[in-house]
Structures are given as C-alpha cells and as structure tokens.
Amino acid sequence: MKVNSKAYGPIEVDERQKIYFPSGILGFENLKYYVLLDAKQQPFYWLQSMDVVEIAFVLIDPAVFRPDYKLDVTKEELEEIGIKNKQDILCFAIVTIPENLSAMTANLQGPIIINRSTRVGRQSINTDPKWKVRHSIMKELASLRQETC
Amino acid sequence: MLILARRIDESIMIGDQIEVSIVDVKGDHVKIGITAPKNVKVYRKEVYLAIQNENIEAVKAKPDIIPALSNLFKERAKKSDEEKKE
C-alpha cells in the first residue's frame, strides 16, 4: 500500500500500519484514516493522514518521560473502539514542537488510544486534571532521571 | 439557540435521559448538575478547545524534525549517565 507522507514522501506501508479513527482527531474530524509510521528514530512516531499529506502528528509513548502516566478514560470510551482488556491498548501523546526544539511538549490531556488488534483509534480526554495539554518532555525527562539516580 | 429561564433547583430535560439542573447561582457563578447516561461524555468546553488548538499547533511540525528530536533525547540520556558517574 502506497502512502504519501509529509516526512518521507511517497512510501510503501504495510496494511497493518493503517489505523481507522471513526471520529477523526479533534480539529480534524473529517480525516478518518491514518498510518502509524514507526520510528527509525525512537521514541518518536509519525501519525500520517492518508488523505491529506500535510496532516501528520509526531507521537511519543508517554511512558518514556512519564512512567507514572495513567490513562484515565471510561470503560465506555474504550469499548467504543472495541477495547475489552488493557492489553489491547496502545497509547500515545501528540508532540507539539516549537522553534526551540528542547521546549517541545506532549499533550497528556488528549491521548491517542489505539486498539492494537483491530487498529481502530480515537483521541480521548483524560479525566484526571493533573494531565495537561502541554508537558515539557525534556524537563520532565530530566527530573525523572534525577529521581532515579 | 433555545434559551430557557430557570431558577435554582429547576432543570431541563434533553431527550429523555439527560437532565441539566441549576444547583446554585452566586453572582456570575452558576453551578450546574448533569445527569446523563455513561456513554454521553460531559466536559468543560475549554478542555475540548485546548486539545483542538494543541492539535492544530502540533501539525505544524516540520517534516524533517524527528532526527533532531531524537538527538536531543540521546544527548539528555548521555548527560544523565555522566551525572550518574560523578
């Protein structure tokens, strides 16, 4: 399957990389199909729209800089994308990258959750007010490492 | 938009499963109680808007950005390792 990607131009992707977002992503409700491009450069991923090449999100696994991150969403919300048990959950945070790269932030209030087996996803809203739309990845990574030293 | 006037302890039904009631009013501060089925999600509008705006900011990422981010990450890890040795 060929996809035109913002990061790498036209590329060949596996059918299994295709993810269906029945409700789209907030602000981009009309775009329902994405591909998850993993990561030659960990821990980052691209979530690339299959319909509009310019629409692509950088994702990170929140556990990389916040191992205490807890997905706080209702059972109903998980069932909406067919998730019945926790092993099916794949969770990412969207990264916002300003000009000063080290000030990049991750959105932990609106995580992207994907059903690993059916590859259906949604953007959820974390109900715990502790998690904000902008968490400084580098700062929180630094304080995490200090704690573990 | 439908506009209804309500007093404290009065409520409005939306369909037959959603009830919105006025719990308290103090100056410009209104406390609203909402009873709805579990599959109806209720959030403050600011939360929605904040996430929407953040998504719009996030798609501005430059296409060749990831190697630089990845390097930042590695540098940070290296620095931490050095700190550890000290």
Side-chain angles (χ1 to χ4, degrees):
Chain A
M1 185 172 75
K2 216 165 215 163
V3 171
N4 210 0
S5 74
K6 176 172 160 176
Y8 315 114
I11 46 163
E12 189 62 34
V13 296
D14 194 283
E15 190 69 35
R16 282 170 300 182
Q17 288 169 264
K18 186 169 155 185
I19 294 154
Y20 173 48
F21 286 79
S23 321
I25 288 175
L26 284 172
F28 303 91
E29 285 79 1
N30 296 333
L31 303 174
K32 315 271 192 202
Y33 292 95
Y34 287 82
V35 284
L36 186 64
L37 306 176
D38 49 44
K40 290 162 198 153
Q41 262 110 3
Q42 297 245 346
F44 299 98
Y45 303 80
W46 281 105
L47 186 67
Q48 170 69 53
S49 159
M50 291 179 71
D51 305 300
V52 184
V53 61
E54 291 80 20
I55 304 301
F57 298 93
V58 174
L59 303 183
I60 190 170
D61 173 1
V64 169
F65 69 103
R66 287 301 296 255
D68 60 329
Y69 186 61
K70 218 175 132 258
L71 197 60
D72 204 350
V73 295
T74 61
K75 218 174 103 195
E76 286 75 17
E77 219 166 300
L78 293 175
E79 277 168 4
E80 235 177 75
I81 54 169
I83 292 177
K84 291 202 182 75
N85 52 60
K86 290 209 160 144
Q87 291 95 295
D88 282 337
I89 300 176
L90 203 56
C91 172
F92 295 103
I94 297 180
V95 183
T96 303
I97 305 152
E99 265 186 44
N100 169 16
L101 297 187
S102 60
M104 66 178 154
T105 55
N107 182 351
L108 297 183
Q109 192 171 27
I112 297 288
I113 46 179
I114 296 169
N115 181 332
R116 218 186 264 276
S117 35
T118 59
R119 293 179 293 277
V120 177
R122 59 168 293 141
Q123 185 168 34
S124 214
I125 297 181
N126 201 320
T127 47
D128 187 341
K130 169 177 168 188
W131 306 111
K132 314 286 184 203
V133 290
R134 288 192 172 178
H135 286 258
S136 167
I137 296 177
M138 297 316 282
K139 271 190 198 152
E140 294 184 20
L141 187 67
S143 59
L144 167 75
R145 295 205 187 244
Q146 269 163 17
E147 278 164 30
T148 53
C149 277
Chain B
M1 189 196 284
L2 174 66
I3 298 172
L4 300 168
R6 300 276 67 192
R7 295 176 197 280
I8 290 175
D9 290 337
E10 292 184 338
S11 60
I12 291 166
M13 293 300 297
I14 302 173
D16 52 13
Q17 293 192 15
I18 301 172
E19 182 175 0
V20 179
S21 49
I22 307 304
V23 177
D24 197 12
V25 181
K26 273 194 190 117
D28 64 354
H29 196 86
V30 183
K31 270 193 188 145
I32 295 172
I34 298 154
T35 312
K38 276 194 164 175
N39 62 343
V40 175
K41 275 144 256 154
V42 180
Y43 298 109
R44 290 181 174 86
K45 191 176 178 182
E46 310 89 271
V47 173
Y48 256 110
L49 291 180
I51 292 176
Q52 214 174 65
N53 286 338
E54 203 53 32
N55 287 346
I56 291 166
E57 279 305 305
V59 291
K60 293 179 186 162
K62 296 195 184 79
D64 54 354
I65 205 78
I66 285 191
L69 295 187
S70 194
N71 283 339
L72 258 181
F73 234 83
K74 278 180 211 147
E75 273 165 34
R76 180 64 240 179
K78 212 170 131 192
K79 209 169 134 196
S80 301
D81 286 344
E82 280 162 12
E83 281 164 9
K84 230 180 214 173
K85 274 176 203 156
E86 276 164 18

